[in-house]
Amino acid sequence: MIYAAQMSLLLQSPLFAAFLRLKGKKHFLLQCGVVQLEASFFPEMAASLWNNLIQTTKERILQQQRAPLYNSAHGYEEEVVKKKLQQFAGGSISLSKEDNGIGLLTLNNPKLLNAFTGTMMLELQERVTELENWKDGKGLIIYGAGNTFCSGSDLNTVKAISNSQDGMNMCMFMQSTLTRLMRLPLISVALVQGKAFGGGAELTTACDFRLMTPGSEIRFVHKHMGLVPGWGGAARLVWIVGSEAALRLLSEATKVDPDRALHLGLSEKTLSSSDETRALEEAQAWLSQYTEGPAIVIQAMKKVVTAGRELPLEAALRTEKDVFGTVWGGPANLQALARRPKHK
């Protein structure tokens, strides 16, 4: 038995159209809002077609999330950029996947307040790709080693690529990576300890939420460097706090402490401890309230919210329909129906 909403999607699929050419439409009976298949239709074939449709939909949504912002038409050659960044080594980006579906992504360059070197930029892209393929993932916490978040770009790297073209290439590379990070089907949190300056402040805006520890600060220092944000931070900041507040934060270039961040809506909560281990435990506990449940459902929730934020209404509705079709009648849905839940 296949639910009507599922069948509506199945009827629109190229796979189904091809099958109909072989079998004909007369094999379908519509009864009470539920579509039943006659024995001659081979129910196992219908199930196979439905599973193929779900897989195709998932793959298409994933391709949309990974679609590059820039290509050769924009003067962007990613492999050339990677070779350039590879020259500036130091630090690392590590990823730990916990059994509860929460990933821990750590910026490791504490001697330079976790500033991004060229190789760290490359490793961040690799970790994002790994997270895109994490089927059991539900959440992500990004934090810095040594009890501080990130001070932006390593100045040695910045000085070495100070010409306009290299700077633009680095900008396009990091914009693409952080956009993919933002679009991950995981609920993401930036755990801000110590300082989040410049590019580090921009990185926090690529997460769904920000948690701050006592004494920490976020600061968009770009003006003092004779720059504007280049990693997508300005555009995302407008989404988060609005255009007026974003303009104040960028033009003041002053620190945003936990209280002000809460007032602006830039932070969700000020944690009770500034100790690195305790703060991470608090952040995990905070995130777990949103990641309870099957991974496929949590990921679907994030996908429809991302679509609603980024796409025109009609396109967002179509994406929501597609994502809905991947969970309707699925194991989590059927188990919930079997429990006959009562919502208070």
Side-chain angles (χ1 to χ4, degrees):
M1 186 175 292
I2 298 178
Y3 288 105
Q6 292 173 309
M7 185 56 68
S8 176
L9 292 171
L10 183 58
L11 286 168
Q12 300 174 47
S13 74
L15 288 170
F16 180 75
F19 187 79
L20 277 188
R21 286 195 291 270
L22 296 174
K23 300 298 295 181
K25 295 182 181 179
K26 65 180 181 179
H27 298 277
F28 286 91
L29 298 173
L30 300 176
Q31 296 177 356
C32 302
V34 175
V35 178
Q36 291 182 321
L37 303 177
E38 292 180 307
S40 61
F41 183 72
F42 302 109
E44 65 275 9
M45 179 64 77
S48 177
L49 285 169
W50 175 244
N51 290 333
N52 286 336
L53 175 60
I54 290 177
Q55 185 60 34
T56 300
T57 299
K58 289 179 179 178
E59 291 174 356
R60 178 162 56 82
I61 293 171
L62 188 57
Q63 288 172 355
Q64 291 172 346
Q65 293 169 343
R66 295 179 179 179
L69 288 177
Y70 302 104
N71 53 43
S72 58
H74 305 98
Y76 179 64
E77 300 292 343
E78 184 167 295
E79 292 308 313
V80 174
V81 178
K82 286 183 176 181
K83 288 181 180 179
K84 187 74 174 182
L85 293 175
Q86 192 67 49
Q87 299 173 23
F88 311 106
S92 64
I93 307 287
S94 61
L95 174 63
S96 171
K97 299 175 184 176
E98 305 298 304
D99 292 338
N100 60 3
I102 294 179
L104 304 177
L105 191 147
T106 311
L107 313 177
N108 295 298
N109 196 10
K111 291 182 179 179
L112 298 177
L113 298 179
N114 297 319
F116 270 91
T117 62
T119 53
M120 287 175 68
M121 295 179 190
L122 296 175
E123 287 187 22
L124 179 62
Q125 185 192 60
E126 293 170 0
R127 300 296 170 265
V128 169
T129 299
E130 189 175 346
L131 288 164
E132 286 172 337
N133 294 302
W134 189 19
K135 294 182 179 180
D136 297 324
K138 296 188 283 186
L140 176 68
I141 297 174
I142 301 177
Y143 71 105
N147 211 25
T148 197
F149 190 73
C150 174
S151 60
S153 299
D154 172 30
L155 290 181
N156 291 325
T157 303
V158 171
K159 291 175 182 177
I161 59 173
S162 59
N163 70 74
S164 179
Q165 188 57 54
D166 284 342
M168 288 280 285
N169 284 336
M170 184 267 289
C171 165
M172 290 186 281
F173 181 86
M174 287 300 289
Q175 279 191 8
S176 296
T177 299
L178 293 187
T179 299
R180 288 171 58 192
L181 172 65
M182 178 182 66
R183 291 173 175 168
L184 284 173
L186 309 173
I187 300 175
S188 58
V189 173
L191 171 54
V192 181
Q193 300 165 279
K195 303 179 186 302
F197 285 177
E202 293 191 66
L203 175 58
T204 71
T205 67
C207 295
D208 299 312
F209 302 106
R210 284 144 295 282
L211 301 176
M212 299 180 70
T213 61
S216 64
E217 59 181 287
I218 298 173
R219 188 175 180 186
F220 296 87
V221 298
H222 305 77
K223 184 178 80 168
H224 296 318
M225 300 295 293
L227 296 169
V228 297
W231 294 358
R236 294 188 297 268
L237 186 62
V238 170
W239 278 351
I240 296 167
V241 301
S243 59
E244 292 181 2
L247 184 58
R248 285 198 299 270
L249 292 178
L250 295 176
S251 58
E252 289 174 352
T254 56
K255 75 176 184 178
V256 181
D257 63 22
D259 288 341
R260 188 181 182 194
L262 280 172
H263 177 72
L264 290 170
L266 184 58
S267 172
E268 290 294 313
K269 181 180 181 180
T270 303
L271 303 180
S272 63
S273 177
S274 57
D275 175 78
E276 184 173 3
T277 301
R278 292 178 184 173
L280 183 57
E281 291 173 350
E282 280 191 71
Q284 289 176 293
W286 184 89
L287 180 56
S288 66
Q289 67 184 313
Y290 301 108
T291 57
E292 292 183 6
I296 189 173
V297 177
I298 303 303
Q299 291 191 14
M301 292 290 185
K302 176 64 182 290
K303 289 172 185 175
V304 296
V305 169
T306 298
R309 178 186 62 207
E310 296 187 18
L311 300 177
L313 178 60
E314 291 80 2
L317 290 173
R318 287 192 291 271
T319 298
E320 185 172 312
K321 176 262 297 180
D322 290 343
V323 175
F324 178 82
T326 67
V327 292
W328 177 265
N333 179 224
L334 295 178
Q335 289 172 13
L337 291 174
R339 292 195 302 269
R340 297 180 179 273
K342 295 182 179 180
H343 309 290
K344 297 181 180 180

